[in-house]
Amino acid sequence: MSYCLNPDCQNPQNPAKTKSCQSCGTRLLLAERYRSIKLIGAGGFGRTFIAEDEYKPSKPRCVVKQFYPSSQGTSNPDKAAELFQQEAVRLDELGKHPQIPELFAHFEQDNRLYIVQEFIDGQNLAQELAETGAFREAQIRSILSNLLPVLELIHKEKVIHRDLKPENIIRRRSDDRLVLVDFGAAKYANSAALAKTGTTIGSAGYAAPEQSFGKAVFASDIYSLGVTCIHLLTNMEPFNLYDPLESEFMWRDYLVDNPVSEELAGVLNKMIQSSVKQRYQSAIELMPALDLSAGASNGNSAVPTPPSPSPAKATPQPPVEIASPSTIPANVPKNITLSGHSDTVISVAFSPDGETLASGSGLWDKTIKLWDVRTGRENLILKGHSDGVRSVAFSPEGQIIASGSADKTIKLWDVHTGEELRTFKGHSDAVFSVAFSPNGQIIASGGGSIDKTIKLWDVHTGQELRTLIGHTDSIYFVAFSPDGQTLASGSGFWDKSIKLWDVATGWQKTSLKGHSDGVRSGAFSPDGQIIASAGSTGDKTIKLWDVSTGQVIRSLGGRRSGHSQWISSVTFSPDGQTLASSSGDKTLKLWDVGTGKELQTLKEHSDEIFSVAFSPDGQTLATGSKDKTIKIWQVPQ
């Protein structure tokens, strides 16, 4: 189906692949590549369409925004045109962020202006509210945790969104992350602009009082986000919640069947204060307040205070949270929780002496933290990556840490000083995995879906030794065999294989195939005779492979047992008798390698677990989670 872009067309529906409208003759392809297929919105400034990009073989969907204010009788078409141009500029500056739509194109055709941007597949929060009913406290905390870093980013770039409301927040179907859309009302707020009265823009009921007088400030977005939250909690429109005689929102009167904690109520009430001075001034000011209100009793994660600005000895931390023995069932080991990261803990690794734990975190954090395992104290923060840290590994002697990042680089760090020693550049996409060879002379790294390569690097010179080519998707793990002669690698959905490579020559020895989805993680047994591999969402199994024959010894878990979601990480105990696995189902499982029997399931994290590591003595496990914490577990005997 092709939809005509002429606002005056009486019959805009056309057959697919038609070049010109059969009713009015208007060209149906924008910029010779974008074909509109469905009208999804219209307003005073123009219309919005779902379109297909016919320039690409897969014809991916995108969103086309068409600007034509005069035909709709807009009172100030020049100002409307300026705002439309500004939206393109704002998207171009901000759209590289994964929670803001990316700008694809901005052009004029047939005397109309067009913006083409990324299509976000999902429901907006207004649709979600209509479908599921009033939100609970945990959902509101999750929304704030998800969106406050986005607000902090756009405010840092001197942009005020000015139209925050449920309709402009989309929950992306692929990863459940919230995406902030519609920057048509956004304002660039330098000091001169903030001092000047501007155009009144925003959605009635959600716009802050000062915004109604054309004086929007960064705190205006905080107000609108707060009103959005009370709307979602009460399932009542803001106009119905506001008492003009009292000049305040009486939202808690509508929570008889859905109460919230006093802590969260206090945060929301401060967000929606009519007086700008009594409101939170910024997202970064609100973050610690939300963190303090996230009591241990409700189990909800919150946005922690951002880490210190430079690599240095950490300031004294409060005592780590140690679970009370009286609350732990006899068959569950006691654990310690380490908090301090401000995003998902994607990777963890023990030092060879077992005294230090390294952890790498995602986009909003970008740091590696070093922890004292015995005390739970944070020793060092390593900063230098410009995107999330996907993998960390200690050198065999424990003096160096390697980190692989979504910024396409690998960095080496001095464990004792936190000094950045070297940066390896060569991958054309994110680096998902890094590993040291047993002699510490080589680093292996695996690239993302654009790259699809494994690179071997000389640790001391920083030179690229060779590139291993053969996978057809992202390389999610690389692991050296104990003798250092073989490298194993596992790849994503379009590949589904584990490959074994000869380190000396770079030749592929064999390809192990048996998973029905991507291979998220893998590890050699201590004797080098077995490889364990973990399947992704559509597989959910762990396979044990005989290295010499390439045959599956046994599969652990599956549809009726094991993990209920994708398996993020697997690791062998130092004696090779136990396998630990972590999963998106928030659990850590222990398996008997000899029998394949599940020994134990440990549940303490409040969100998906991304990584697991055994200590060198085999008595301790560490896990990193989307709940932004690390847990250190005593391995049950």
Side-chain angles (χ1 to χ4, degrees), residues 513-524:
K513 296 182 179 180
H515 283 290
S516 59
D517 203 337
V519 182
R520 300 289 304 197
S521 178
F524 276 98

Side-chain angles (χ1 to χ4, degrees), residues 71-305:
S71 61
Q72 292 293 314
T74 304
S75 59
N76 192 345
D78 291 337
K79 185 62 181 180
E82 180 187 343
L83 287 170
F84 195 80
Q85 294 279 6
Q86 286 179 359
E87 179 175 11
V89 174
R90 297 292 83 80
L91 282 175
D92 195 29
E93 293 171 345
L94 302 172
K96 299 301 180 184
H97 187 278
Q99 288 173 268
I100 298 173
E102 183 177 356
L103 176 71
F104 293 153
H106 175 233
F107 54 87
E108 181 178 346
Q109 182 170 312
D110 298 330
N111 296 316
R112 301 183 189 96
L113 292 174
Y114 292 92
I115 286 175
V116 183
Q117 66 186 60
E118 178 186 4
F119 170 69
I120 307 299
D121 182 20
Q123 281 188 318
N124 66 45
L125 294 188
Q127 294 168 325
E128 197 171 306
L129 179 67
E131 186 175 294
T132 64
F135 284 37
R136 298 290 181 179
E137 175 166 343
Q139 293 171 285
I140 298 302
R141 287 184 182 275
S142 177
I143 288 169
L144 292 171
S145 177
N146 226 295
L147 288 181
L148 285 173
V150 185
L151 274 189
E152 173 59 20
L153 170 75
I154 69 172
H155 291 170
K156 185 178 180 181
E157 297 297 325
K158 307 300 183 186
V159 174
I160 307 170
H161 188 279
R162 296 200 295 181
D163 201 16
L164 272 167
K165 58 183 178 180
E167 289 83 356
N168 287 340
I169 303 168
I170 297 177
R171 190 181 302 279
R172 185 163 49 209
R173 212 178 308 275
S174 62
D175 60 4
D176 258 5
R177 295 186 86 174
L178 297 179
V179 180
L180 188 57
V181 302
D182 199 348
F183 281 75
K187 176 182 181 179
Y188 182 71
N190 57 22
S191 57
L194 288 173
K196 180 181 177 181
T197 300
T199 306
T200 301
I201 284 176
S203 296
Y206 298 95
E210 67 277 4
Q211 191 170 324
S212 302
F213 292 94
K215 298 285 288 184
V217 294
F218 298 123
S220 305
D221 282 345
I222 301 296
Y223 180 97
S224 298
L225 181 57
V227 175
T228 294
C229 289
I230 64 173
H231 177 190
L232 296 173
L233 276 169
T234 60
N235 203 2
M236 299 284 290
E237 292 294 332
F239 281 122
N240 296 329
L241 296 172
Y242 191 78
D243 186 338
L245 299 179
E246 298 293 334
S247 298
E248 63 179 333
F249 288 97
M250 310 302 289
W251 61 280
R252 296 193 75 181
D253 295 346
Y254 297 89
L255 294 183
V256 176
D257 299 323
N258 185 24
V260 299
S261 66
E262 291 297 326
E263 292 85 355
L264 179 62
V267 168
L268 294 177
N269 279 334
K270 188 170 181 179
M271 292 174 71
I272 59 176
Q273 286 292 316
S274 296
S275 169
V276 176
K277 292 182 179 179
Q278 295 179 20
R279 205 182 302 155
Y280 294 108
Q281 299 302 295
S282 66
I284 203 164
E285 181 186 338
L286 203 163
M287 288 178 188
L290 183 63
D291 188 36
L292 290 173
S293 68
S297 61
N298 59 35
N300 298 315
S301 62
V303 182
T305 306

